[in-house]
Amino acid sequence: MNEQVNLKTVPHEGEAISKRDWVPINLDLRDTWFPVAYSADVGTRPVRRVVHNQDVYLWRDGAAVHAAEFRPDRLEAMRSCASAFTGGSGRYPIVECYGYVWTWYGDPDHAHEELIPNIPFLPRDGQGIPRYTQRAVRFDAASPLSVENLIDLTHADFLHADVVGDEKMDKETVEVFHDSETITMVRSCVNKSVAPVMKLFGGVKADVQQVRQVIRIYLRSHAAIAYGRFSPGDNVQLFHPCVPETRDRTRLDYTMNTSNVKKSNPFRYVMPKASYKVSRQDSSMTSPQSPRYMHSEPRKDLHSPLDEAGQKYRVLMLALAERQARGDFAYRDNVSTDCSEIIGYQK
Ligand SMILES: [Fe+2]
């Protein structure tokens, strides 16, 4: 790659990363796949997506799917302007799986299909994923901030209480697991207030539920798995990719796979639409913070023990950014390994 990682926000080599100091996250991690569009949204007519201000045009030509920096009719004429992201060819590496078209952001020579994040509850070949489970929304905030908001599962009790239930419960346990490419938060709640969406549409009659919620983040891809087990109630299977379009804008083409829910249960069709409401609630909190998020400031970054996942997320993102600033883009941990066990997935 010719382009350098933005060093302004990355600590210099040897400089300690303090967990207590507010340090902005470098946005621009390279050598990663982004799920830029639903497969079903890509046809013969080109569609445009944006990743870190870079244009990505997608289209089909018979059985082949294409991704390029330029419109297909301009591709030949513009080839001399092609960037290092396409190795000067104008064409991005591309893979279709889990119902998405994924394009590579980084050095095309480093693109390998086995670097696509594992999503246990979506069919790898993308076949049979109902369209009602696929909905697109936006966050008016930086993608890492949107991810950081998400990995704090406890925020839902306050911000989304009218959808997924409030903070009332008898006991709460939070566990955080990580490697160099992923972070996973597991939250277990005993006798938690029933999610209103399940009470209204999911046929849950009880007042309390036993809840086990998991968020797993694939750091470079800004992609999250949200998996919840609710008893009584249905399991919630959400693939939540935050694609960084611009500094303060995130595209979320999510898949809320409710195909496990009984056809007679309205929850199956209502729950995928809940993010229209939920994403506005998230955006209302993260959008005002987004301009500040990218700037360093001397203020101490105070936090409680429940913020462990968010703190760890920052540390891990900075560690990746630091390595990339030194020219090290290699993966030290495997993101395509089956994570069913870690998230407690029940088939
Ligand atoms: Fe949220």
Side-chain angles (χ1 to χ4, degrees):
M1 296 297 304
N2 295 326
E3 284 94 347
Q4 284 284 306
V5 171
N6 178 7
L7 290 166
K8 275 188 294 189
T9 57
V10 180
H12 296 294
E13 193 174 354
E15 191 177 318
I17 301 169
S18 164
K19 274 184 88 170
R20 287 185 56 84
D21 296 337
W22 163 247
V23 186
I25 303 295
N26 186 297
L27 260 176
D28 202 7
L29 294 176
R30 305 288 172 91
D31 282 9
T32 183
W33 292 104
F34 284 114
V36 290
Y38 296 120
S39 290
D41 283 350
V42 180
T44 51
R45 191 177 162 180
V47 293
R48 178 174 166 266
R49 294 290 187 267
V50 175
V51 177
H52 287 312
N53 296 310
Q54 287 255 129
D55 282 339
V56 180
Y57 289 92
L58 305 163
W59 71 95
R60 284 183 204 278
D61 176 8
V65 57
H66 303 272
E69 291 182 68
F70 313 105
R71 283 170 14 201
D73 58 322
R74 307 256 295 151
L75 187 53
E76 278 309 314
M78 295 297 288
R79 186 157 291 171
S80 60
C81 305
S83 75
F85 287 93
T86 59
S89 71
R91 290 174 179 275
Y92 297 101
I94 192 168
V95 168
E96 228 179 334
C97 68
Y98 296 125
Y100 292 84
V101 173
W102 301 67
T103 56
W104 182 253
Y105 181 78
D107 184 336
D109 290 341
H110 297 166
H112 298 289
E113 197 172 333
E114 62 268 28
L115 298 175
I116 299 235
N118 176 252
I119 311 167
F121 49 75
L122 293 181
R124 174 91 192 177
D125 64 4
Q127 296 302 305
I129 299 174
R131 280 244 85 179
Y132 65 80
T133 67
Q134 299 178 328
R135 303 277 163 175
V137 293
R138 306 286 187 284
F139 293 126
D140 302 312
S143 178
L145 176 57
S146 303
V147 172
E148 197 177 304
N149 168 63
L150 186 70
I151 196 162
D152 172 18
L153 280 164
T154 62
H155 86 273
D157 297 354
F158 304 95
L159 200 51
H160 315 304
D162 55 353
V163 180
V164 294
D166 61 27
E167 77 285 6
K168 295 185 188 75
M169 69 187 101
D170 287 345
K171 193 176 170 220
E172 176 176 24
T173 321
V174 168
E175 292 172 286
V176 179
F177 308 95
H178 69 89
D179 61 24
S180 67
E181 296 290 342
T182 66
I183 179 164
T184 305
M185 176 182 186
V186 181
R187 181 193 193 205
S188 306
C189 306
V190 177
N191 297 333
K192 189 176 189 303
S193 302
V194 165
V197 69
M198 290 187 177
K199 207 158 200 170
L200 287 168
F201 304 105
V204 176
K205 301 275 191 290
D207 290 324
V208 294
Q209 289 173 307
Q210 313 315 314
V211 180
R212 185 181 188 276
Q213 294 169 304
V214 182
I215 292 277
R216 176 171 172 81
I217 308 286
Y218 292 100
L219 298 168
R220 293 198 208 202
S221 290
H222 301 208
I225 285 175
Y227 182 68
R229 295 195 329 222
F230 296 82
S231 177
D234 284 294
N235 293 353
V236 170
Q237 314 181 134
L238 172 64
F239 177 55
H240 184 295
C242 290
V243 174
E245 290 190 322
T246 64
R247 196 194 68 170
D248 296 305
R249 183 98 164 153
T250 301
R251 183 185 179 101
L252 171 55
D253 282 12
Y254 63 91
T255 304
M256 174 71 79
N257 188 359
T258 49
S259 57
N260 58 315
V261 178
K262 275 199 213 112
K263 282 190 175 153
S264 58
N265 190 340
F267 184 75
R268 178 176 165 123
Y269 306 101
V270 172
M271 191 58 190
K273 292 181 181 162
S275 278
Y276 289 135
K277 182 174 193 180
V278 167
S279 66
R280 288 305 90 197
Q281 293 170 331
D282 283 316
S283 221
S284 73
M285 295 303 291
T286 53
S287 179
Q289 298 170 35
S290 196
R292 285 204 310 278
Y293 191 72
M294 299 308 294
H295 296 290
S296 195
E297 64 168 85
R299 196 175 53 158
K300 290 292 181 193
D301 189 14
L302 301 174
H303 56 273
S304 84
L306 289 176
D307 297 331
E308 183 189 350
Q311 289 295 316
K312 190 54 112 179
Y313 171 77
R314 291 180 182 179
V315 168
L316 292 170
M317 287 293 275
L318 280 170
L320 277 174
E322 191 180 22
R323 276 176 48 205
Q324 296 207 347
R326 286 188 269 113
D328 177 5
F329 295 87
Y331 280 70
R332 291 179 183 172
D333 291 291
N334 190 342
V335 292
S336 60
T337 310
D338 183 1
C339 68
S340 296
E341 204 173 314
I342 294 175
I343 69 167
Y345 177 52
Q346 294 174 328
K347 283 175 193 167

